[in-house]
Amino acid sequence: LPVAREDTDLWPVFTMPDYARFAAALAPVVEQALRPIRTVRGVVTRLALVRLPGGAVIAPHVDAHAMAERAHRVHVPLSATPSVEYKIDGRKYSMQPGYAYDFNNRRRHSVRNKGRRERVNLFVDYYPNPGIVVRNPLQLTMPIYAPATPLAA
């Protein structure tokens, strides 16, 4: 079950208990990656460690969910894998550890791992302007107050 909830104009964002196991290592990385785009009311909507095995391909696609229209998708490479090729709008890119990459995932993009080693990235989805939250006063299952998630300060 979630340990914290933060409401946005689209849907609630939950902090899961497993985050506490990794917070000491992840929070400083996330804070540094978001520093250039941080806003007062911004919300981290998703953190994910994503592994792409050697030889794997993520076919060209456009992220179509509602949050993709509003949130930044920041990639933080955690592995040095020069054989990984990213394409965004047909242009090739590589990502290096020690840097954070913010790109518009509403553009057509793909990934190809041409090597044998797996690629590991930290995905940070950040919603800089969560809008006004309007609660239904008749919905009794929704708590009136829930503390902000640890990264949303």
Side-chain angles (χ1 to χ4, degrees), residues 2 9 11 28 30 33 43-44 86 93 104 117 119-120 125 134 147:
D9 56 332
W11 52 65
V30 170
V43 176
V44 172
Y86 299 84
Y93 295 90
N104 184 349
R117 292 184 40 210
R119 178 232 50 192
V120 179
D125 288 353
V134 178

Side-chain angles (χ1 to χ4, degrees), residues 56-138:
V57 173
I58 298 174
H61 66 284
V62 173
D63 295 352
H65 54 83
M67 192 58 81
E69 292 180 16
R70 296 179 170 101
H72 291 259
R73 164 71 48 90
V74 178
H75 285 252
V76 180
L78 301 178
S79 60
T81 46
S83 58
V84 175
E85 178 182 274
Y86 299 84
K87 278 190 182 176
I88 304 167
D89 270 347
R91 292 183 59 200
K92 294 179 183 180
Y93 295 90
S94 63
M95 296 185 190
Q96 304 301 317
Y99 295 90
Y101 299 86
D102 180 8
F103 77 89
N104 184 349
N105 56 342
R106 299 283 295 166
R107 301 277 189 196
R108 189 173 174 84
H109 59 281
S110 62
V111 185
R112 179 181 305 271
N113 188 346
K114 297 191 244 182
R116 293 183 181 160
R117 292 184 40 210
E118 64 183 21
R119 178 232 50 192
V120 179
N121 277 6
L122 172 65
F123 283 8
V124 183
D125 288 353
Y126 181 69
Y127 189 10
N129 185 13
I132 297 172
V133 177
V134 178
R135 289 196 171 95
N136 178 350
L138 302 177

Side-chain angles (χ1 to χ4, degrees), residues 1-42:
L1 294 174
V3 295
R5 171 188 175 141
E6 187 156 356
D7 290 313
T8 73
D9 56 332
L10 288 178
W11 52 65
V13 175
F14 298 98
T15 300
M16 303 309 281
D18 283 343
Y19 176 73
R21 291 179 31 209
F22 304 101
L26 291 178
V29 174
V30 170
E31 288 303 317
Q32 186 172 355
L34 296 180
R35 191 170 293 133
I37 59 173
R38 172 70 74 191
T39 62
V40 174
R41 294 185 54 242

